[in-house]
Amino acid sequence: MKKYNVGVIGATGMVGQRFMTILDSHPWFEVKVLAASPKSAGKRYSDAVGAKWCMDTDIPEKMKDIIVMDATADVEKIASQVDFVFCAVDMKKDDIKALEEAYAKAECPVVSNNSAHRHTPDVPMVVPELNAEHINIIPAQRKRLGTKRGFIAVKSNCSLQSYVPALFPLSEFGIKDVLVCTYQAISGAGKTFETWPEMLDNVIPYIGGEEEKSEKEPLKIWGKIEGDEIVPAKSPNFTAQCLRVPVSNGHMGAVFVKFENKPSKEEILNIWKNFSGRAQELDLPSAPKQFLNYFTEDNMPQTKLQRNLEGGMAISIGRLREDTQYDYKFVCLSHNTLRGAAGGAVLMAELLCAEGYMD
């Protein structure tokens, strides 16, 4: 695979920082441009991020001295220097939409971590193991935008990465109803315990907009391309409750599911064990070898023990058992800034490169 020059828009935030750690030694992607808000523009990256750096490892040496550009004012200049950009900005939704379309119209593909375009009908929202075929909508999007290379592709909400991968392979049994309660790490809010001491010894039973995303976004993943748009599925029916818990990284979901044709426990476990997707077929650099991992111990998976499984890109599942009101219940876990955010975006970019959309 050839090397691609990439940019990170929103490089100083928590997800932007995570992109730095992932891309530091990536075999395909070379970071050439970092961009952020006007107050960071013109500074060395290490000075711009300063004390806000919150990763476990130091700022990568080769990125410390990169001069940060203005994400909004320098669109054309940035687009001319890279093959595509990752976008993880903290702006109002309408401003994000406009910014990402500006990059796309400058013939610079955008792989977005933001929610602004997740429900734009011709923008693919992809988990590479589940609905890789949705990238085939890109020619229709390019036609709408009037571009040859430029387009926008987005990743889904980070909490979905824990429970949707466990449910999606069971679609053959006709999933009817899903109830999920998510227990979400503080890094999902861009926080650490140092910057959010109120979270110590605390649970907050509300995350703005999260429940709506958790109920609506899976239906786009289950959707189909019809003409020039992705039409969301009408089922399964999702209901969600999302809580912020005192954990640094890792989102856990407690799932209850009802089927049209109830499978046996053995059938479910066998499907999870053998399930793989396009990411594994293509042997993408960030793809976990074993995507879904079931733990038989009653007290597994645990956030602290399993969140980093396969570089944080694998999904951990446990406690599958029959339920008195639903057919089954189980728990699942994913790393929210790796699989859920930056890592998921990098994996999607790898898919787009492998399938020829970045050429």
Side-chain angles (χ1 to χ4, degrees), residues 68-129:
V68 178
M69 300 176 72
D70 188 319
T72 304
D74 294 333
V75 171
E76 294 288 342
K77 187 175 180 182
I78 292 168
S80 70
Q81 296 180 35
V82 298
D83 295 305
F84 65 91
V85 295
F86 294 103
C87 189
V89 294
D90 183 10
M91 300 165 64
K92 293 180 180 178
K93 189 167 288 191
D94 287 344
D95 293 336
I96 294 172
K97 279 188 172 182
L99 181 67
E100 292 181 345
E101 286 207 359
Y103 278 96
K105 289 179 177 178
E107 299 295 357
C108 180
V110 178
V111 178
S112 177
N113 191 75
N114 303 300
S115 65
H117 274 292
R118 286 180 190 160
H119 295 292
T120 303
D122 59 9
V123 171
M125 183 177 72
V126 172
V127 179
E129 287 87 352

Side-chain angles (χ1 to χ4, degrees), residues 231-288:
V231 178
K234 292 187 174 9
S235 62
N237 300 310
F238 281 88
T239 184
Q241 190 152 254
C242 302
L243 292 76
R244 189 73 72 191
V245 296
V247 168
S248 58
N249 294 295
H251 288 354
M252 183 171 282
V255 181
F256 301 77
V257 57
K258 187 177 291 184
F259 297 95
E260 291 177 10
N261 302 296
K262 181 181 176 180
S264 68
K265 182 177 179 180
E266 290 71 25
E267 285 177 305
I268 294 174
L269 293 174
N270 190 56
I271 286 172
W272 284 342
K273 180 180 179 180
N274 293 297
F275 182 77
S276 64
R278 188 65 175 150
Q280 284 73 34
E281 288 177 25
L282 293 168
D283 195 23
L284 299 177
S286 299

Side-chain angles (χ1 to χ4, degrees), residues 38-209:
K39 67 180 181 181
S40 296
K43 299 178 182 177
R44 295 166 64 246
Y45 180 68
S46 58
D47 294 330
V49 74
K52 294 187 297 181
W53 182 261
C54 55
M55 298 293 107
D56 293 333
T57 55
D58 292 337
I59 300 173
E61 284 296 325
K62 60 187 177 185
M63 297 170 193
K64 285 182 177 179
D65 294 330
I66 295 178
I67 302 300
V68 178
M69 300 176 72
D70 188 319
T72 304
D74 294 333
V75 171
E76 294 288 342
K77 187 175 180 182
I78 292 168
S80 70
Q81 296 180 35
V82 298
D83 295 305
F84 65 91
V85 295
F86 294 103
C87 189
V89 294
D90 183 10
M91 300 165 64
K92 293 180 180 178
K93 189 167 288 191
D94 287 344
D95 293 336
I96 294 172
K97 279 188 172 182
L99 181 67
E100 292 181 345
E101 286 207 359
Y103 278 96
K105 289 179 177 178
E107 299 295 357
C108 180
V110 178
V111 178
S112 177
N113 191 75
N114 303 300
S115 65
H117 274 292
R118 286 180 190 160
H119 295 292
T120 303
D122 59 9
V123 171
M125 183 177 72
V126 172
V127 179
E129 287 87 352
L130 307 184
N131 63 331
E133 71 279 3
H134 282 193
I135 64 174
N136 295 325
I137 198 67
I138 289 172
Q141 185 193 148
R142 283 172 168 163
K143 183 179 178 182
R144 173 177 65 85
L145 295 174
T147 61
K148 294 181 179 179
R149 284 192 75 250
F151 65 87
I152 302 161
V154 300
K155 56 158 291 300
S156 67
N157 179 266
C158 54
S159 67
L160 271 65
Q161 307 290 331
S162 61
Y163 60 90
V164 169
L167 289 166
F168 194 88
L170 307 178
S171 297
E172 64 185 89
F173 301 108
I175 301 172
K176 290 172 58 180
D177 300 309
V178 178
L179 182 154
V180 60
C181 295
T182 62
Y183 304 88
Q184 301 185 203
I186 63 173
S187 56
K191 303 284 190 178
T192 64
F193 288 118
E194 288 73 24
T195 60
W196 202 3
E198 298 86 353
M199 276 307 304
L200 287 167
D201 194 31
N202 196 19
V203 171
I204 297 177
Y206 173 74
I207 305 172

